[in-house]
Amino acid sequence: MISKAKVRSEELNSCFEKLLMVAAGNSGVGVRMEGAVITEWKDIPMELLLRIVPLVDDRTAIVASGVCCGWRDAICFGLTQLSLSWCRKNMNNLVLSLAPKFTRLQTLILRQEYPQLEDNAVEAIANFCHDIQELDLSKSFKLSDHSLYALARGCPNITKLNISGCTSFSDGALEYLTNFCQKLKILNLCGCVKAATDRALQAIGRNCKMLQSLNLGWCDNVGDIGVMSLAYGCPDLKCLDLCGCVRITDDSVIALADKCLHLRSLDLYYCRNITDRAMYSLAHSRVNNKPSLWQSMKGRYDEEGLRSLNISQCTALTPSAVQTLCDTFPALHTCSGRHTLVMSGCLSLTSVHCACAVQAHRTLNTIPHTAH
């Protein structure tokens, strides 16, 4: 039976070989530094180690941190980004052991194929990793509100948070989080049915003024009150996914058109209460909100306008309204290979085409046909 010491030694040797390959440019020969040749792990100076570690995979960096106290301190001090998505089992225990050491982390990816993380792991992150700015906890089905309470208290500098698929979180816990994490710019709540409610969205609109991207996909408790609160409270919003939010109506889109002047991407898939009124409001907002900019800086405004729209399964829409919107925003394309205006399932909208699709059709028709 192979001893644990032997396994550990093999891990360290493998780790050292990877580090040397990176340092030597994958040549496989020893690394020279100030006249000395590095052939063993103990020969690697700290300054070289800190330059190598960001270039190797996260698993190697973790193993390297266990070589000796010096390496541990150097790596734990210098490592700011870490992904444990490769961990198929025991991720929770791994986080518990690493959080007290990797206290300088700014980005931590804990995406899982099947649920492993528990509240005590998130609490450890909140207790030790106060510099966290980007955190991915997607598909953490085992987490409860205690995790959000801990993050609120320990990680107030979060700017990007992905808790998609975390179905146990409540809107009260999400509201509590926004009271402390007011620097949020990107928030993914896809599938968080209990957390993403009008109450929570009102809190986001009240507290997260810098929010730029929000995913509310398949959060069917979201209604007009919540979306309108977002529109009024988050003027920098650029990307909003409302697919499957079946309760929203034209009032939500009208508020977004009037208040979110930087909106680039909007997903309304399966929002069947949306009518032509919403489409015309988006089209009219382009000129009505910034008449002077529209007149004097047309080219720049083309870049700022709506660039992606999904209205698939919005069966109440008519061709005239959607064509008006398509003509107003040149970046919306229906042509093959570009499809930034998605209309799947809307059989009545087959006549809607972007300008380049129309031009391509005209060009094709002007090509002389060879007589047979």
Side-chain angles (χ1 to χ4, degrees), residues 40-59:
E40 298 182 15
W41 61 262
K42 62 183 180 181
D43 297 328
I44 299 181
M46 291 305 164
E47 64 268 24
L48 178 59
L49 178 65
L50 289 175
R51 291 168 59 186
I52 295 174
V53 169
L55 303 177
V56 299
D57 62 273
D58 293 316
R59 193 194 306 243

Side-chain angles (χ1 to χ4, degrees), residues 68-291:
C68 63
C69 293
W71 278 34
R72 180 197 64 199
D73 294 342
I75 293 174
C76 293
F77 180 82
L79 197 66
T80 59
Q81 300 183 28
L82 183 66
S83 173
L84 300 181
S85 296
W86 48 267
C87 186
R88 294 293 182 263
K89 58 182 180 179
N90 297 324
M91 180 187 285
N92 200 73
N93 291 334
L94 186 57
V95 172
L96 288 173
S97 65
L98 295 180
K101 296 190 295 185
F102 293 96
T103 58
R104 306 298 293 270
L105 286 176
Q106 297 178 13
T107 299
L108 181 57
I109 309 300
L110 301 175
R111 189 180 301 112
Q112 303 143 79
E113 291 299 323
Y114 59 91
Q116 302 181 61
L117 280 186
E118 298 177 11
D119 288 328
N120 59 347
V122 179
E123 289 169 356
I125 295 169
N127 288 335
F128 295 102
C129 306
H130 302 300
D131 294 335
I132 287 288
Q133 296 178 21
E134 299 185 14
L135 181 62
D136 189 339
L137 299 173
S138 53
K139 297 184 179 180
S140 297
F141 303 124
K142 292 184 178 181
L143 298 184
S144 72
D145 286 349
H146 293 294
S147 290
L148 292 189
Y149 292 139
L151 290 175
R153 294 188 296 267
C155 303
N157 296 315
I158 291 180
T159 60
K160 182 177 180 180
L161 178 62
N162 185 348
I163 54 174
S164 60
C166 297
T167 53
S168 296
F169 292 152
S170 70
D171 54 356
L174 183 56
E175 179 182 12
Y176 184 85
L177 179 79
T178 65
N179 288 328
F180 295 87
C181 301
Q182 298 190 2
K183 297 179 182 180
L184 276 171
K185 292 184 178 180
I186 301 175
L187 180 58
N188 191 337
L189 300 174
C190 183
C192 298
V193 180
K194 291 171 60 179
T197 65
D198 286 345
R199 172 189 174 185
L201 296 188
Q202 285 177 304
I204 293 173
R206 186 169 59 249
N207 297 318
C208 304
K209 302 296 183 182
M210 294 186 287
L211 193 68
Q212 296 180 7
S213 177
L214 179 61
N215 189 333
L216 295 170
W218 306 106
C219 295
D220 53 15
N221 286 321
V222 169
D224 288 333
I225 293 175
V227 177
M228 292 171 70
S229 298
L230 278 176
Y232 282 85
C234 305
D236 292 333
L237 199 61
K238 294 181 179 180
C239 301
L240 181 60
D241 191 335
L242 295 170
C243 76
C245 296
V246 295
R247 295 175 54 201
I248 68 167
T249 70
D250 292 337
D251 291 341
S252 290
V253 180
I254 292 171
L256 291 168
D258 289 342
K259 301 300 179 181
C260 299
L261 308 184
H262 303 289
L263 193 64
R264 303 282 186 87
S265 176
L266 181 61
D267 193 330
L268 298 171
Y269 174 79
Y270 215 80
C271 297
R272 295 194 166 184
N273 292 323
I274 300 300
T275 72
D276 289 352
R277 184 165 160 252
M279 298 297 101
Y280 285 123
S281 70
L282 286 170
H284 293 162
S285 68
R286 181 182 176 97
V287 178
N288 294 339
N289 285 324
K290 292 185 178 180

